[in-house]
Amino acid sequence: MADKMQANSVRLEKLASKERLLREINHRIHQSLELDQIFETATCDILHYLKADRVAIYQFLPRSAHKRGRFVAASAAPGVTSILHLEAEDKCFSPQLVERYLSGGFHFVDDVRTANISTCYRELLGRFGIVSNAVFPLAYSGQLWGLLCMHQCKAARVWSEEDIESVDSVSRQISIALQQSNLFSRIQQELSRTRRAQSSLVRTNKKWYRQTLNWLVRHA
């Protein structure tokens, strides 16, 4: 009986922690359009929630066909190497994998050393000292922008269904933030073009006014 009560208590605390995680990230998204702040909050909160070794956000580089990218945000536990700003090349990243991620799929490996994965993928994970990882898509408007990555570097980890569900929810929230930021940027660009067009029109009108006034003066 005592064991059952303790298990229920642990489960409820985990659920409360998940709700706090999602609430904090959602609050940050609605408070700010600054992606750097949202990324920092997300990676740090997920790190503590999962008690992971490292959490990172990976952005694909333009015109790289999803083969190259950079870690634009990262949080790591003490003693774990940071990968912030490091670039990576993944020659194994196939168009089929892109479609899988765009369809809402995710990928996780409990133990890189024994998993049935390609040699090039195993070597890539090894370069970053990854023993276990879980990867979720960051996408909007039909484009795969990047990946939300969870790393275990000290020992293998069996990712639970609750771990997967929690981080999948966070990845969807970050994707919303990316879409909002992109929309805001497009609006700002359009406003800038409108202001430049208006400024050009004002200059044209002033020039026409001066020319007309000069003509009237000469023929008065």
Side-chain angles (χ1 to χ4, degrees):
M1 185 67 177
D3 290 343
K4 186 176 181 180
M5 291 180 62
Q6 183 177 7
N8 286 336
S9 178
V10 171
R11 183 178 61 82
L12 290 173
E13 176 57 32
K14 191 73 173 179
L15 180 60
S17 296
K18 175 184 175 181
E19 291 177 349
R20 285 195 297 270
L21 169 70
L22 298 177
R23 186 167 57 248
E24 173 61 27
I25 295 174
N26 186 59
H27 177 67
R28 177 66 69 180
I29 289 172
H30 284 85
Q31 261 199 336
S32 173
L33 289 171
E34 294 294 330
L35 290 178
D36 288 345
Q37 294 180 12
I38 294 171
F39 292 166
E40 182 179 358
T41 297
T43 57
C44 185
D45 287 355
I46 295 171
L47 182 80
H48 290 101
Y49 171 74
L50 291 181
K51 295 180 174 57
D53 288 338
R54 189 167 59 210
V55 178
I57 290 177
Y58 180 81
Q59 180 184 8
F60 292 108
L61 295 177
R63 297 178 295 280
S64 70
H66 300 100
K67 301 293 185 183
R68 296 177 61 243
R70 178 186 298 111
F71 291 101
V72 296
S75 295
V80 177
T81 303
S82 174
I83 56 176
L84 183 61
H85 303 316
L86 294 185
E87 292 190 8
E89 182 176 12
D90 184 0
K91 296 179 180 179
C92 301
F93 209 95
S94 65
Q96 292 77 17
L97 192 54
V98 173
E99 290 302 318
R100 176 181 171 185
Y101 280 134
L102 287 176
S103 298
F106 50 83
H107 172 75
F108 63 92
V109 176
D110 292 336
D111 193 334
V112 171
R113 298 163 297 188
T114 59
N116 182 23
I117 56 178
S118 64
T119 300
C120 62
Y121 187 45
R122 195 188 311 277
E123 291 175 348
L124 173 66
L125 297 178
R127 285 201 296 272
F128 293 101
I130 300 169
V131 180
S132 300
N133 80 321
V135 182
F136 299 80
L138 299 176
Y140 66 92
S141 301
Q143 301 294 320
L144 185 60
W145 180 92
L147 303 169
L148 175 59
C149 311
M150 265 54 60
H151 298 158
Q152 292 298 131
C153 305
K154 299 176 181 179
R157 173 172 182 164
V158 176
W159 301 99
S160 69
E161 183 177 346
E162 190 171 6
D163 293 338
I164 298 298
E165 289 179 354
S166 298
V167 181
D168 185 48
S169 296
V170 173
S171 72
R172 294 176 188 277
Q173 287 189 319
I174 296 176
S175 293
I176 292 172
L178 287 167
Q179 185 172 27
Q180 290 178 344
S181 178
N182 177 260
L183 178 60
F184 179 74
S185 177
R186 287 166 55 190
I187 291 173
Q188 291 296 98
Q189 291 173 5
E190 185 61 33
L191 287 174
S192 179
R193 283 194 293 268
T194 300
R195 284 194 293 266
R196 287 197 299 270
Q198 290 175 339
S199 178
S200 177
L201 180 61
V202 169
R203 289 195 300 271
T204 300
N205 287 340
K206 285 183 177 179
K207 182 178 179 181
W208 176 85
Y209 177 77
R210 286 195 300 268
Q211 290 174 341
T212 302
L213 184 61
N214 289 337
W215 185 88
L216 290 173
V217 169
R218 287 197 303 270
H219 294 81

